[in-house]
Amino acid sequence: MSSKILVLPGDGIGVEVADQAIRVIDKLNELGLDATYEKELVGGASYDANGEPLTSEVLEKAKQSDAILLGAVGGSKWDDVERSKRPEAGLLGLRKELELFANLRPALVFEALASASTLKDEVVSNLDIMIVRELTGGVYFGQPRGIEDTSDGKKAVDTQVYYDYEIDRIARVAFDLARKRNNKVTSVEKANVMETGVLWRQVVKDTHQDFSDVQLENMLADNCAMQLVRNPKQFDVIVTDNLFGDLLSDCAAMLTGSLGMLPSASLGAENNGKRHGLFEPVHGSAPDIAGQDKANPIATILSLSMMLKYNLNQSELSDKVESAVQKVLSEGFRTGDIYTSENQTLVSCSKMGDLIIERI
Ligand code: IPM
Ligand code: MN
């Protein structure tokens, strides 16, 4: 039976990078992938067309699909729109409604790109970290929240909430992944100041009893930020909450030389052998270069590759896509964000798509 992919290009460069990923799907269909796809609006594009960043029709299609590929959402154009209608609310709605609680963000240094990092070669070469970010809880969704007038002036409230089951299930994802990698999990919180941190540490410790073959270490989030820049190769899998995961994954991403290279997968719970999955680049919508055919499509193409591996059961095709990307890079082709020397060939977004497709 053919797989149904819902493509949500979103805003800014999301549109052009998603186009390249779609071309890759076409190519893979020639090689035996049996997938159909449909494009829909999300984020600011959906707000402009429908007055909402995620319509119920699109949400329904998302629920019915085998996997979702998303470009990027957001842009200053929608800065004055009320929060519940902002582009980001579309993405957060998808995460919450599909219960995509496990966000996998690999930070991998491509050999050809080690010199594009702002850190020294020896600090980042061969780096391979997996950040596992809790995605449907914490301060992103906790109640109460809001801004109100009080006798002491305006007061803003956000609430960090975690239930033990939420911590347990994300910890299991991390331990499972570590078993397929280098067998080490670093659990990150701020147990020194936050109650959620205390519970987080306790639950991870309990869950670890089912994975005692995996090495577990606890680390405070501020220290983790520092260690990521000081000696990132000490990490294998990092598991952390929604907000710390947001910050630490951007930091880890930059170690690799470019945000334009990093894919991500957001996965739901397994249900009859199937799980919802949303695959998207870690980078944003980059409105400053949108529509100029300058963006780097690699993160989105690698997100498609994660989809092949995690949701469509197509590891071989996934490997093919990854080797094609490696090949293009080792041959010296670069989009603007990863162009570092005159020996390289600067190419556009669509040309990068052509080159990868030719090598699949
Ligand atoms: C991310 C983004 C989102 C987040 C925004 C766009 C809501 O920064 O996916 O990391 O904060 O989770
Ligand atoms: Mn982020």
Side-chain angles (χ1 to χ4, degrees):
M1 216 182 54
S2 67
S3 313
K4 270 197 291 194
I5 303 175
L6 178 66
V7 181
L8 301 173
D11 308 320
I13 60 166
V15 176
E16 49 212 273
V17 294
D19 274 342
Q20 298 313 311
I22 288 177
R23 296 179 57 218
V24 174
I25 301 176
D26 289 337
K27 172 75 187 183
L28 295 173
N29 272 334
E30 290 167 21
L31 300 175
L33 173 71
D34 182 13
T36 59
Y37 55 80
E38 201 178 340
K39 258 204 227 182
E40 284 294 347
L41 299 177
V42 75
S46 172
Y47 174 80
D48 288 348
N50 309 306
E52 285 174 57
L54 174 66
T55 62
S56 48
E57 291 79 33
V58 171
L59 177 60
E60 198 44 42
K61 281 190 185 171
K63 286 183 176 161
Q64 299 305 328
S65 68
D66 292 298
I68 304 156
L69 185 72
L70 191 138
V73 296
S76 51
K77 181 179 170 198
W78 300 281
D79 275 354
D80 297 329
V81 175
E82 71 167 278
R83 173 169 314 280
S84 67
K85 305 237 183 252
R86 289 179 55 149
E88 292 79 4
L91 178 58
L92 296 177
L94 277 169
R95 289 175 181 171
K96 196 70 182 171
E97 293 291 330
L98 302 180
E99 223 182 328
L100 304 170
F101 70 89
N103 185 214
L104 277 43
R105 297 191 163 183
L108 195 103
V109 170
F110 287 83
E111 223 21 68
L113 288 187
S115 63
S117 173
T118 47
L119 272 74
K120 294 194 191 87
D121 257 27
E122 67 260 30
V123 178
V124 296
S125 66
N126 296 316
L127 181 73
D128 182 357
I129 302 177
M130 178 69 88
I131 299 202
V132 178
R133 168 187 176 193
E134 199 291 325
L135 203 59
T136 48
V139 75
Y140 272 62
F141 298 99
Q143 292 294 339
R145 64 179 287 157
I147 301 179
E148 57 185 286
D149 288 310
T150 73
S151 52
D152 294 325
K154 274 192 187 304
K155 172 178 148 191
V157 179
D158 290 294
T159 305
Q160 163 98 336
V161 185
Y162 271 108
Y163 286 90
D164 51 4
Y165 78 90
E166 296 177 294
I167 303 168
D168 172 68
R169 67 182 179 181
I170 195 72
R172 285 180 191 278
V173 171
F175 287 127
D176 257 335
L177 277 169
R179 277 186 174 157
K180 296 177 200 138
R181 297 170 44 97
N182 291 318
N183 229 32
K184 179 176 170 190
V185 169
T186 305
S187 169
V188 174
E189 26 60 11
K190 273 193 64 86
N192 55 345
V193 280
M194 297 170 75
E195 300 305 325
T196 48
V198 173
L199 185 67
W200 185 281
R201 193 174 283 209
Q202 183 59 51
V203 174
V204 171
K205 185 176 165 213
D206 292 345
T207 307
H208 181 233
Q209 297 191 340
D210 290 344
F211 298 87
S212 49
D213 52 304
V214 180
Q215 188 192 338
L216 169 65
E217 146 188 83
N218 298 300
M219 194 178 274
L220 297 175
D222 50 347
N223 185 29
C224 181
M226 188 268 273
Q227 295 296 339
L228 269 174
V229 186
R230 191 184 76 90
N231 174 20
K233 284 190 232 172
Q234 69 184 284
F235 297 108
D236 177 23
V237 174
I238 293 176
V239 62
T240 189
D241 76 16
N242 205 341
L243 184 61
F244 293 144
D246 184 41
L247 305 180
L248 295 173
S249 62
D250 264 28
C251 178
M254 204 51 220
L255 301 173
T256 70
S258 167
L259 219 48
M261 298 295 300
L262 295 181
S264 77
S266 304
L267 307 174
E270 223 171 286
N271 196 341
N272 293 327
K274 287 189 79 165
R275 70 195 325 176
H276 284 304
L278 182 148
F279 301 81
E280 58 176 322
V282 170
H283 64 68
S285 60
D288 53 320
I289 58 161
Q292 299 171 35
D293 200 19
K294 281 186 185 164
N296 185 348
I298 293 180
T300 311
I301 291 172
L302 291 175
S303 300
L304 174 66
S305 163
M306 286 186 94
M307 175 195 296
L308 294 165
K309 184 151 55 184
Y310 289 98
N311 266 49
L312 304 185
N313 213 356
Q314 296 278 1
S315 297
E316 247 172 65
L317 291 180
S318 168
D319 291 346
K320 272 207 172 124
V321 173
E322 274 166 40
S323 355
V325 169
Q326 296 271 15
K327 196 140 189 287
V328 166
L329 293 173
S330 59
E331 288 172 35
F333 296 104
R334 301 284 189 274
T335 44
D337 58 317
I338 49 176
Y339 179 82
T340 50
S341 98
E342 285 169 5
N343 308 330
Q344 302 164 344
T345 314
L346 182 63
V347 299
S348 66
C349 178
S350 50
K351 180 71 189 175
M352 184 55 97
D354 293 343
L355 293 164
I356 293 171
I357 290 163
E358 278 164 23
R359 284 159 187 73
I360 291 179

